[in-house]
Amino acid sequence: MNTKDLPGFATKAIHAGEEPDFRSGATGDVVVPIHLSTTFAREKVGLPTAGYEYTRSLNPTRKALESKLAALENADHGLAFSSGLAAETVLLTALLKSGDHIVAFDDLYGGSKRLFNNIFNKYDIRVTFVDASDASLVEKAITPQTRLIWIESPSNPLLKICDIAAISRISAAQGLILVVDNTFLSPYFQKPLGLGADIVVHSSTKYIGGHSDVLGGALLLNHSGYYEKLQYHQNAIGAVLSPFDSYLTLRGVKTLALRMEQHQKNALDIAKYLLKHPRIKRVIYPGLDNHPQHALAKAQASGYGGVLSFEINGNQSDAEVFLEKLRVFALAESLGGVESLVELPAVMTHSSVPPEIREQVGISDTLIRVSVGIEDVDDLIADLKQALA
Ligand SMILES: *Cc1c(COP(=O)(O)O)cnc(C)c1O
């Protein structure tokens, strides 16, 4: 049975890439083994006997994960890396050259911006950041040197939505490569390739791994020519996911469907609770009717995810007091794990953004981002209640 083509998401998450091996001598493991070997012996000089030579190039445990993640994004090809940023580095080095230009969302993950601005600028790759939640601004920023468009939806921490299909039409009309960072919704809720994206990027550190215990990144795509270049650069650069971390990610992703449902359910309950609380100034969650792009969020994805942001009345020190009073929510960066996390972007994840830019885009000193976990929601709400009091 080849489970990769079955329609059910949860079935693929469990079985794809891990079909038991019944060939003679194989053991029929239902879980792919952790192949720690860095090198693979061959019977004859000419060809590697089972297709494997050296783990940086190809490893059976990593390959199982790459196949599973490809199946989940309905992609023909998948590649796994030691972090989300390692995946992004390989993408940029494989598909761009000096003098090329990128149009990117101005509300992109901070580490991606740092990679563009402080690393790839040294190789004369230039970026124009625009508010890609307005697709016409993306089109206006394209120059004859533009090769690639890079977006993320929903964004972080403001949860703005990009119209992926509209941007993909602009991208295709100009022969560009559209990259979508799908970390926030995971393939369970959103499949950018089906909306016209060329390459999906993931930080599997977040929802895919899901347990805050393994870093990783992935690229998923259909285009065979790009895949060959990416695979070549994956091996040449060497930032591959280790066999053990591949195993942890394989283990984590099996419950992605269940986890995403619960993250979303808890996030919606918390958003509704905060909306009614007198100490809360505003709540940002794409699943709420009052989100300015609720209709678009609903149309292009099958869910709204587990991240929400809100502003409390008062000043930054009121926000800090509130955060330090929480007991169930951990005060920490990152997102997508089973445990609930809160953070203050102005001081933590987005502290490198200059204050005037933060104010301009709407990241105030009292804006709090929550990665809602899958604990009992009554405990989470009770914790918020006592800290707000
Ligand atoms: C965390 C994150 C990244 C970077 O991934 P790492 O695994 O931390 O390198 C990229 N994009 C988004 C949206 C992220 O949240």
Side-chain angles (χ1 to χ4, degrees), residues 175-380:
L176 309 179
I177 303 168
L178 175 60
V179 177
V180 178
D181 183 332
N182 201 28
T183 300
F184 264 54
L185 287 186
S186 90
Y188 181 67
F189 283 138
Q190 179 165 274
K191 297 199 182 52
L193 297 177
L195 296 166
D198 297 296
I199 304 178
V200 168
V201 176
H202 275 288
S203 168
S204 56
T205 312
K206 314 295 167 50
Y207 288 105
I208 287 177
H211 297 74
S212 308
D213 57 4
V214 59
L215 280 178
L219 300 176
L220 298 315
L221 70 162
N222 289 321
H223 192 294
S224 298
Y226 296 157
Y227 173 64
E228 274 169 33
K229 286 189 182 172
L230 292 167
Q231 198 179 31
Y232 180 86
H233 284 72
Q234 181 193 40
N235 179 48
I237 290 171
V240 293
L241 195 64
S242 76
F244 188 75
D245 289 352
S246 298
Y247 157 75
L248 280 176
T249 310
L250 280 163
R251 182 178 164 103
V253 76
K254 284 175 196 175
T255 53
L256 185 63
L258 288 171
R259 287 187 283 109
M260 291 312 292
E261 287 293 344
Q262 197 61 38
H263 282 297
Q264 161 159 280
K265 203 159 167 286
N266 286 358
L268 191 58
D269 285 358
I270 288 174
K272 286 182 178 160
Y273 169 76
L274 292 171
L275 213 48
K276 289 185 308 216
H277 199 289
R279 293 220 159 140
I280 302 299
K281 198 151 111 193
R282 68 168 175 151
V283 182
I284 313 172
Y285 181 61
L288 290 176
D289 297 339
N290 74 3
H291 188 286
Q293 296 171 292
H294 176 66
L296 173 60
K298 191 170 181 175
Q300 76 178 3
S302 59
Y304 310 101
V307 176
L308 61 93
S309 295
F310 62 95
E311 268 181 282
I312 69 165
N313 291 321
N315 55 28
Q316 185 179 319
S317 77
D318 297 315
E320 289 179 12
V321 169
F322 162 71
L323 291 172
E324 288 166 12
K325 283 210 151 53
L326 290 166
R327 296 187 204 116
V328 183
F329 289 83
L331 182 51
E333 299 184 1
S334 198
L335 59 109
V338 292
E339 57 288 291
S340 292
L341 306 177
V342 278
E343 65 115 359
L344 197 58
V347 182
M348 295 170 65
T349 48
H350 292 66
S351 59
S352 63
V353 182
E356 54 294 355
I357 306 270
R358 280 205 304 267
E359 208 54 47
Q360 189 188 318
V361 297
I363 306 175
S364 74
D365 293 343
T366 58
L367 184 80
I368 291 164
R369 186 191 77 189
V370 189
S371 171
V372 180
I374 61 170
E375 300 94 337
D376 293 293
V377 75
D378 292 346
D379 292 335
L380 296 176

